[in-house]
Amino acid sequence: MTDSAALPVWDSVGDDTLSRAGEAADFLQGFCPPGADPVWSASAFAWKLGPANPAGPGFLSLGLCEDKVVATTSITLKRLWIDGREVIGGEIGDTYTAAAFRRGGQPRHLAAGNSDAKAYVNRSIFGRLVSETSGRAHKAGIGIIYGTPNANSMPGYVKRLGFHEMRGHVNANFLRPSLGNLARRAGLAALPVAELDRLATWIGRTIAQVLTPGMSVEEITHPGDDIDGLWHQLRGGLDFAPVRDSRWFQHRFLDHPLVHYRLLALRRRGRLQAVAVIRRFVTVSGRPFCYVADWLAPADRRVLMRVLAEAAWRDSGGTDGVLLWAGADSVAASAARASLFLRRPASPIILAGTPAGLDLLAGRPCVDFTLAASDNV
């Protein structure tokens, strides 16, 4: 039997002032191998959790052992469109724990309001940080808290911490692998795959151009007022989505301190029809991909096929393929399939069991959720 006196002792600390954000970023970046794109930094925490966020300052919790960061959790505030109105919600994430504390360690103090030493929040540093961070957000009036957990953290959220999976919406992953990716898997790397990839993306773009006559595409560096008009036009009928107005595109993408995003404007006769966001990303396994991070577009399969074709043409060269998230039954998913994307396992969305969260879960909400609706990309 384990001697509790020999277990390392941890403390849970709220750091909403971000005084130790640099230490948290160093801890988190330690999970990324050399060569992977940077994900965390003190400036990135200030960008999403500080007052520059149009939705407001967020919440950061740290697990400390001997005054060193051994676990983290954050809630980033988001302007959300819920049932026909704008509300401030939050995304829970950055839930990382040092290996030695995933099944080991003991808290210096029991959780406030819970004197049961066997309770999950008194045994799990992950559980404690999620519970305390969510609690501070609830007290601040945040009624909707969502997340996109991985397979490791999903059971803790839904079985122990009062979160619920959104089952009325399947958040599907789609991948169109590059020919180079396929050739390597088939042992045919000697083929001129770069040239073949370029030809394939040119053919796909040409087909999409034929399907969208009169539509032009340009890269933009400033979100104009016409994005606000397009958002007001398209937001009707949505039950759960980020508020995709000009402030969203400016802060979420153009102001990001670590990532270079490319914004594409699709116009017909000078009138804005759609906006798309793309970026390159090198994963923790060292594989480069082109991500279609976000789009603001009508539910028109041809327009969305043009979005995907332009993304592939402009930013997929030398990558292992093009990736995106879309609702499994959405028009975007149909456009992805028509553009030769393959569906991969879904990434679940969870909601905290608050009254507002349970109301949203009770129906079959119309959800418009992309990679950029999370902090994953």
Side-chain angles (χ1 to χ4, degrees), residues 78-89 141 143-144 231 235-243 356 359:
K78 304 288 178 80
R79 297 162 57 233
L80 301 175
W81 188 255
I82 305 287
D83 294 333
R85 63 190 182 95
E86 182 177 329
V87 302
I88 301 299
I144 295 286
W231 163 247
R235 68 188 185 182
L238 293 177
D239 299 314
F240 183 74
V243 174
D359 284 346

Side-chain angles (χ1 to χ4, degrees), residues 36 42 80 82 101 122 129 131 155 171 223 233 269 288 336 363:
L80 301 175
I82 305 287
F101 291 84
N122 289 324
L129 295 188
S131 176
N171 185 40
Q233 174 189 333
R269 301 184 185 92

Side-chain angles (χ1 to χ4, degrees), residues 183-206:
R184 282 193 301 274
R185 291 174 179 271
L188 302 173
L191 292 175
V193 291
E195 292 79 2
L196 292 174
D197 259 332
R198 191 63 173 167
L199 176 62
T201 56
W202 179 83
I203 292 172
R205 183 178 184 236
T206 301

Side-chain angles (χ1 to χ4, degrees), residues 132-276:
E132 291 184 347
T133 314
S134 300
R136 297 202 305 280
H138 295 327
K139 288 181 180 179
I142 306 304
I144 295 286
I145 298 177
Y146 70 92
T148 54
N150 61 23
N152 295 326
S153 59
M154 182 72 169
Y157 274 116
V158 300
K159 294 181 179 180
R160 306 277 193 171
L161 296 168
F163 282 74
H164 303 264
E165 184 176 356
M166 182 182 284
R167 297 191 178 277
H169 173 83
V170 178
N171 185 40
N173 279 280
F174 288 93
L175 166 67
R176 193 175 80 180
S178 67
L179 293 178
N181 185 355
L182 295 174
R184 282 193 301 274
R185 291 174 179 271
L188 302 173
L191 292 175
V193 291
E195 292 79 2
L196 292 174
D197 259 332
R198 191 63 173 167
L199 176 62
T201 56
W202 179 83
I203 292 172
R205 183 178 184 236
T206 301
I207 292 171
Q209 288 174 328
V210 171
L211 294 174
T212 53
M215 184 171 286
S216 62
V217 182
E218 63 175 339
E219 188 166 345
I220 58 175
T221 57
H222 176 73
D225 294 340
D226 49 358
I227 287 181
D228 293 327
L230 184 62
W231 163 247
H232 283 277
Q233 174 189 333
L234 298 178
R235 68 188 185 182
L238 293 177
D239 299 314
F240 183 74
V243 174
R244 290 188 176 94
D245 59 9
S246 57
R247 286 199 292 165
W248 162 261
F249 285 97
Q250 181 67 47
H251 177 261
R252 178 64 180 85
F253 305 112
L254 298 178
D255 292 345
H256 198 294
L258 295 179
V259 179
H260 173 64
Y261 295 95
R262 302 174 66 186
L263 273 62
L264 307 179
L266 287 74
R267 302 180 188 276
R268 182 177 280 125
R269 301 184 185 92
R271 184 173 180 178
L272 187 67
Q273 303 292 307
V275 181

Side-chain angles (χ1 to χ4, degrees), residues 44-63:
F45 274 123
W47 164 77
K48 71 176 186 175
L49 301 181
N53 182 344
F59 307 88
L60 177 65
S61 296
L62 307 177

Side-chain angles (χ1 to χ4, degrees), residues 7-8 10 97 100-111 114-129 156 159-161:
L7 294 175
W10 51 263
T97 303
F101 291 84
R102 290 172 193 164
R103 296 186 181 275
Q106 59 182 330
R108 188 179 306 277
H109 305 288
L110 298 180
N114 192 326
S115 60
D116 182 2
K118 295 183 180 180
Y120 187 62
V121 294
N122 289 324
R123 293 186 295 108
S124 165
I125 192 170
F126 161 80
R128 175 73 69 87
L129 295 188
K159 294 181 179 180
R160 306 277 193 171
L161 296 168

